[in-house]
Amino acid sequence: MEIDENDLIDKALKSREAFEKFVHLYYGEVLNYIYRRTFDRNVSEDLTQETFLKVFNNLHSFKRKCPLIFWILRIATNVVNNYYRKEIRNRKQKEKLKNNLPVEDITQEESSYKILHEHIKNLKPAYQTVIILRFFSNASNEEIAAVLNKTPVTARRTFYRALDALKKDIEESVTDLEILRLIYGDKNEKG
Amino acid sequence: MKKDELIKMLEKVKAPCLPGKEVLWCERRFIDNNFPKLVQMQRQRRKRKFAFALVSIAIVFFIIFGSAALNGYVKGAPPFLSVFGKYIYFAKMNDTVVARVNGVPIYLSNVANEYFLKKASYEFHEKYYGEQFVGTPPDPVDILNDMINKALFAQYMRRKGYELDIIFIPQKEWFDYEVQGDIPQGIHLDPIAHKYFKEKSKIIRDAVSHSNLTEDEFFDKIIVPQLKTDEYTRALKEDIEDSITVPDVTEEEINHYIATRGKGLITFAEVTFPSKEEADKAFALFEAKYNPCYVMLDEITQKTSQGALTNLTFTDFNDFSGYLKKAFQKNKELPYLSEVKDNDEYHLVCIFNYEAPRAISRGEAAFLVKQSKKKVEAEKVISKLELKLAKEARIEIINKKAVEDLANMH
């Protein structure tokens, strides 16, 4: 069924039905995007809620120049970046965050992502966004540009810089590099 | 590790996803917790937007009228605001305190209210009746001093325990009529009084509309304090007059009184016509009106732009000039209009007031002298009290210049 975004935007705060439809359409994608950035279920839910509150409070200012999801992801990116800014300010909380990771609940896939995520988390917020969108949300360069609110050329440049930064960070941790090679590189070649 | 190697590696990583069920729970929680709240917030936002639009419009008007009023204050009255309205508006904006009496402020708007009403009354009546009937023009500094004195008296009376137990109902009713510009039923004003009522009504309405107060608030905040201080002052003067004992009246004083106060007084207006036809025509025209004398007075004033009334004192009826003597008729209800011929001239004469010279008995003269002496003595006591209170009080004149400037507004 084709969805008329404009109609949905206009009706979202007028009828509960449209509101539910709106949330259902975008909530999962945003929640998972934030989860990939924070790797914490509770934090993801909180930040997704914050994102959607901002979305609904600013829906009237959405200019409808790009698909709605990119606009929502842009807001989500800002929310996550703000969250990390606060985290950096409060190192204790950062430690708590690390310790709060529900390690026992995570799956094998999540466990292997966890190693990579630790390195992604060390990058600048813009680099994190680019890496997550490009590799884990399968966004195109144009879509990344829309989320970053930049031109595709700038988005591509940011992507390569992000890759360099991530490569450097992984290389600095010899053990992690070996594990990653074992999981994603060598294992595949062997297979 | 090469960059390509890293890209390949990253492409192989499977994106972690939260279980679909968990996502649905989150969605449900969000919907249930936030839909009513967000709808409410949207309503509030609309209201704020509406309020913002209103405030913006108000600010634009405020800037336009404020600058116009300021411009008028500095350069002269803009055409769309009366001096009084403009001034009240300006004074309100600044809420300027011009003086403090024992810490109680007197606002520029209060002085302006009193001054502009007195000024309007003076200018209006001076135009119709002439300077001798209306005295000297009001001065804003005198008005401020008078307000300070009245404030001192009011505070003194309160300290003495005098409780003012008056609700100004008739004054409020009359104020309402003035604001509405409607003359109450059953009251027939002569044309001049009618014009003044309309003029005053315009001034008051203008003042109310520019004061950001409702009619009731204007009456309570601007008029009532003035009425109260007047009432305290009146009560104080009465108290003092009652308590005064004056020395016995002397024979000399009685004689002097009889000699000076026994004179008669006639107040009249007249127009001279060269022919009987013209005089008859004018007479018929005025006579047809409800208040012929005031209509005539109005017409004379419009033509000559000056007061047309004359006051004449006399000791004997024979002091009158010929046409006045002819126009005068005893037992006729005042004011009345007469048409008389005198030395080939035709006169229309209106007699407004007449007090015959009278022989005052010595007893009456003694009583009146005593009353008059009481008043004089009371005035002396009041002046002394005024000085004493002023000496003891903390009177701060904060902005005399602003008060003086009221006189320069045209």
Side-chain angles (χ1 to χ4, degrees):
Chain A
M1 191 178 69
E2 204 170 305
I3 293 156
D4 183 353
E5 266 191 1
N6 286 334
D7 191 45
L8 206 58
I9 291 166
D10 294 336
K11 287 181 181 166
L13 286 174
K14 285 176 187 159
S15 81
R16 193 179 170 101
E17 197 190 339
F19 183 77
E20 285 186 9
K21 205 169 167 185
F22 187 106
V23 173
H24 183 65
L25 205 61
Y26 304 111
Y27 205 87
E29 194 161 347
V30 175
L31 180 66
N32 276 316
Y33 166 70
I34 294 178
Y35 177 64
R36 284 165 205 148
R37 288 278 315 263
T38 59
F39 210 53
D40 184 298
R41 292 181 189 198
N42 294 331
V43 172
S44 312
E45 194 186 341
D46 288 349
L47 296 186
T48 308
Q49 168 152 327
E50 193 183 329
T51 302
F52 272 83
L53 287 176
K54 283 193 174 175
V55 165
F56 284 111
N57 279 328
N58 294 289
L59 208 51
H60 61 281
S61 65
F62 175 53
K63 287 172 185 160
R64 307 182 192 202
K65 282 181 183 171
C66 66
L68 184 60
I69 183 62
F70 299 142
W71 183 69
I72 297 175
L73 284 176
R74 198 186 301 159
I75 292 174
T77 304
N78 289 336
V79 168
V80 176
N81 292 346
N82 284 341
Y83 167 76
Y84 276 120
R85 251 177 241 135
K86 282 179 200 162
E87 284 303 303
I88 289 163
R89 260 184 255 140
N90 192 341
R91 288 196 175 272
K92 275 184 187 173
Q93 270 188 3
K94 201 177 176 185
E95 286 305 312
K96 197 178 158 194
L97 174 74
K98 272 186 183 175
N99 297 335
N100 276 354
L101 277 175
V103 182
E104 67 281 6
D105 287 345
I106 63 175
T107 60
Q108 179 63 37
E109 280 167 4
E110 285 174 337
S111 177
S112 59
Y113 176 78
K114 183 176 170 274
I115 303 165
L116 206 54
H117 179 259
E118 285 303 314
H119 292 287
I120 294 171
K121 238 170 66 179
N122 292 334
L123 304 179
K124 277 165 60 177
Y127 292 173
Q128 290 183 36
T129 309
V130 175
I131 298 286
I132 301 282
L133 286 174
R134 170 70 181 77
F135 293 107
F136 309 113
S137 296
N138 296 319
S140 68
N141 189 53
E142 282 70 27
E143 287 165 352
I144 295 169
V147 174
L148 292 176
N149 200 20
K150 286 179 178 167
T151 61
V153 177
T154 317
R156 188 174 289 117
R157 206 179 296 143
T158 311
F159 169 66
Y160 284 115
R161 281 181 189 156
L163 272 181
D164 284 339
L166 182 63
K167 188 168 128 300
K168 199 179 162 195
D169 198 79
I170 293 171
E171 279 172 349
E172 277 171 9
S173 170
V174 181
T175 330
D176 280 355
L177 182 60
E178 281 169 358
I179 294 169
L180 286 169
R181 271 190 174 144
L182 198 68
I183 300 170
Y184 302 113
D186 298 346
K187 197 172 86 175
N188 197 44
E189 275 166 20
K190 276 173 194 168
Chain B
M1 185 169 60
K2 289 179 184 170
K3 209 185 279 177
D4 292 352
E5 200 184 338
L6 177 66
I7 293 173
K8 273 183 191 169
M9 193 177 81
L10 286 166
E11 278 170 350
K12 283 174 196 165
V13 177
K14 208 169 179 189
C17 275
L18 289 170
K21 210 173 166 185
E22 205 168 304
V23 173
L24 283 175
W25 283 340
C26 289
E27 277 179 33
R28 182 54 45 199
R29 268 201 297 272
F30 178 79
I31 290 164
D32 292 342
N33 291 340
N34 295 297
F35 180 67
K37 197 167 78 186
L38 282 165
V39 170
Q40 181 69 21
M41 279 165 78
Q42 196 194 27
R43 279 187 198 140
Q44 281 172 353
R45 193 167 49 240
R46 276 193 199 135
K47 276 183 193 167
R48 275 204 301 273
K49 220 171 169 181
F50 182 68
F52 179 76
L54 279 182
V55 169
S56 305
I57 293 167
I59 289 171
V60 169
F61 274 95
F62 181 80
I63 291 167
I64 293 169
F65 283 96
S67 55
L70 193 61
N71 178 52
Y73 179 67
V74 177
K75 293 175 182 170
F80 50 88
L81 286 180
S82 76
V83 173
F84 184 59
K86 179 188 66 180
Y87 197 80
I88 281 285
Y89 184 76
F90 184 68
K92 269 276 150 196
M93 257 190 347
N94 288 301
D95 227 3
T96 315
V97 174
V98 286
R100 275 201 179 85
V101 180
N102 289 324
V104 180
I106 294 175
Y107 292 100
L108 187 55
S109 50
N110 289 94
V111 183
N113 174 56
E114 184 88 358
Y115 172 68
F116 284 111
L117 280 177
K118 278 192 174 166
K119 190 181 173 205
S121 170
Y122 174 83
E123 284 171 356
F124 185 89
H125 291 106
E126 196 254 345
K127 188 173 124 191
Y128 281 97
Y129 303 131
E131 204 180 316
Q132 59 168 322
F133 292 91
V134 287
T136 52
D139 176 68
V141 178
D142 288 347
I143 285 171
L144 174 65
N145 289 334
D146 195 39
M147 287 174 100
I148 290 171
N149 288 337
K150 282 179 178 174
L152 284 171
F153 292 152
Q155 289 173 8
Y156 171 73
M157 289 296 272
R158 277 198 292 267
R159 279 203 300 273
K160 268 178 69 178
Y162 182 84
E163 288 298 328
L164 196 61
D165 189 21
I166 298 175
I167 304 169
F168 298 98
I169 292 172
Q171 290 88 341
K172 175 70 171 73
E173 278 176 1
W174 189 252
F175 175 77
D176 287 342
Y177 283 122
E178 282 178 331
V179 174
Q180 298 303 321
D182 297 329
I183 294 161
Q185 277 188 344
I187 292 185
H188 300 287
L189 298 176
D190 65 63
I192 294 169
H194 187 276
K195 271 190 184 176
Y196 180 63
F197 181 89
K198 291 285 176 191
E199 176 126 348
K200 195 179 172 191
S201 162
K202 205 175 124 206
I203 291 167
I204 291 176
R205 209 164 39 240
D206 202 12
V208 173
S209 68
H210 290 96
S211 65
N212 290 333
L213 300 171
T214 63
E215 284 170 32
D216 290 347
E217 286 171 345
F218 188 91
F219 183 78
D220 288 341
K221 288 185 181 173
I222 309 277
I223 310 287
V224 167
Q226 234 157 285
L227 290 173
K228 276 187 176 172
T229 50
D230 285 350
E231 195 53 36
Y232 276 119
T233 309
R234 190 195 56 75
L236 174 70
K237 285 184 178 174
E238 261 181 24
D239 273 5
I240 290 172
E241 275 176 29
D242 287 348
S243 65
I244 278 188
T245 48
V246 285
D248 288 341
V249 180
T250 63
E251 288 298 309
E252 264 179 24
E253 283 168 337
I254 294 170
N255 290 339
H256 180 73
Y257 188 87
I258 290 170
T260 52
R261 300 295 169 97
K263 281 186 177 175
L265 175 77
I266 189 164
T267 307
F268 66 98
E270 61 95 20
V271 198
T272 306
F273 295 93
S275 71
K276 189 174 184 317
E277 288 73 28
E278 283 178 68
D280 284 349
K281 204 173 149 192
F283 183 80
L285 208 70
F286 294 135
E287 192 68 357
K289 305 282 182 183
Y290 183 72
N291 276 297
C293 279
Y294 286 100
V295 175
M296 189 179 107
L297 191 64
D298 190 15
E299 194 157 293
I300 300 170
T301 307
Q302 297 304 329
K303 278 183 185 163
T304 60
S305 300
Q306 60 188 20
L309 276 187
T310 308
N311 252 352
L312 195 70
T313 53
F314 61 96
T315 47
D316 191 86
F317 189 67
N318 292 323
D319 291 350
F320 288 170
S321 62
Y323 70 89
L324 199 58
K325 200 187 277 181
K326 284 178 187 168
F328 183 75
Q329 296 161 42
K330 272 186 181 170
N331 305 322
K332 191 139 194 203
E333 199 180 325
L334 294 167
Y336 67 86
L337 177 68
S338 294
E339 186 186 0
V340 291
K341 186 188 174 210
D342 187 59
N343 292 334
D344 298 330
E345 280 181 334
Y346 293 86
H347 301 267
L348 291 188
V349 182
C350 264
I351 310 286
F352 285 87
N353 186 35
Y354 173 78
E355 287 167 31
R358 61 194 183 109
I360 301 171
S361 72
R362 295 192 74 77
E364 190 188 352
F367 175 78
L368 291 171
V369 170
K370 197 172 178 180
Q371 284 303 108
S372 152
K373 280 174 99 175
K374 262 193 168 188
K375 275 200 184 307
V376 172
E377 284 306 308
E379 283 302 322
K380 281 182 194 166
V381 175
I382 288 164
S383 296
K384 274 184 193 167
L385 180 67
E386 204 175 282
L387 281 173
K388 184 175 168 275
L389 292 174
K391 210 174 169 184
E392 288 167 358
R394 193 159 43 85
I395 298 172
E396 304 158 79
I397 305 289
I398 294 161
N399 198 342
K400 195 178 174 186
K401 174 83 172 56
V403 177
E404 285 170 343
D405 284 347
L406 289 174
N408 301 324
M409 294 178 66
H410 302 293

